[in-house]
Amino acid sequence: MSDGMSDSMSDGSGDVRLRDVVEGDLEVLLAYEHDPEAVRRSRFTPRPRDAFLRHWRTKVLGDDTVFVQAVAVDGEVAGSVVAWWEGDRRFLGYWLGRPYWGRGIGSRALTLFLERERNRPLYADPAGANTGSVRLLEKHGFQRTGTVRHGENEHVVFVLS
């Protein structure tokens, strides 16, 4: 779905670009998924390395209906943004490494991603306690539509029409 082109936005905290995810990015993304504070905030259980790589190679990069972009800051992989189908709903997800939190990078990356991901409605369901993620979605026009439970955790359901 992607043409490999890079979009970018820049300000004082670095040049933020989106580009296609390449095999070499996966180890960095794996490390970000295993960061203890990221796990605590997202309420997401990190996958073991083999399961992570298999998921990314088959269900993300290997699925033509998934649109995924690496977030790069000054040429370094900062995270990823992805859209995928669950039944008849298109979902959005993102993950940034801790060194890139609180600098506006997620906001710039999501702005760039939403310019390219044109499917609407678009859903997201971050953990309710993940206030940074909740604020990011609200800033980009997502509206709260309810809550859903994933295991023991309550997540807020958002939709962008």
Side-chain angles (χ1 to χ4, degrees):
M1 184 185 288
S2 173
D3 58 12
M5 291 179 15
S6 172
D7 296 316
S8 76
M9 292 180 85
S10 187
D11 73 6
S13 62
D15 180 39
V16 177
R17 294 182 182 271
L18 296 182
R19 62 163 174 75
D20 289 343
V21 173
V22 296
E23 181 74 21
D25 298 334
L26 298 182
E27 292 293 338
V28 175
L29 298 175
L30 171 68
Y32 292 157
E33 183 173 295
H34 281 259
D35 178 276
E37 182 61 14
V39 170
R40 186 187 72 75
R41 289 183 186 203
S42 68
R43 305 289 197 265
F44 182 82
T45 302
R47 293 168 273 232
R49 182 177 186 276
D50 288 345
F52 176 90
L53 293 174
R54 186 172 45 256
H55 171 81
W56 268 85
R57 288 173 179 148
T58 62
K59 297 191 181 217
V60 180
L61 299 175
D63 183 339
D64 289 342
T65 69
V66 172
F67 177 50
V68 61
Q69 294 283 272
V71 178
V73 177
D74 296 331
E76 299 295 320
V77 177
S80 63
V81 187
V82 60
W84 71 96
W85 290 101
E86 279 187 27
D88 62 349
R89 288 186 170 187
R90 185 82 164 163
F91 274 84
L92 169 79
Y94 40 84
W95 199 282
L96 287 180
R98 194 185 329 184
Y100 302 98
W101 295 356
R103 296 170 46 194
I105 291 164
S107 184
R108 292 197 310 278
L110 191 52
T111 295
L112 291 169
F113 189 84
L114 292 172
E115 289 172 358
R116 298 190 71 195
E117 170 58 51
R118 305 305 296 169
N119 286 291
R120 302 292 186 269
L122 190 58
Y123 294 85
D125 61 352
N130 189 345
T131 56
S133 192
V134 167
R135 281 194 309 266
L136 177 65
L137 292 166
E138 290 173 336
K139 179 179 179 179
H140 285 84
F142 283 77
Q143 300 294 312
R144 292 175 190 241
T145 62
T147 60
V148 65
R149 293 198 74 76
H150 293 296
E152 298 177 5
N153 301 300
E154 185 171 279
H155 290 243
V156 181
V157 177
F158 284 93
V159 66
L160 179 66
S161 297

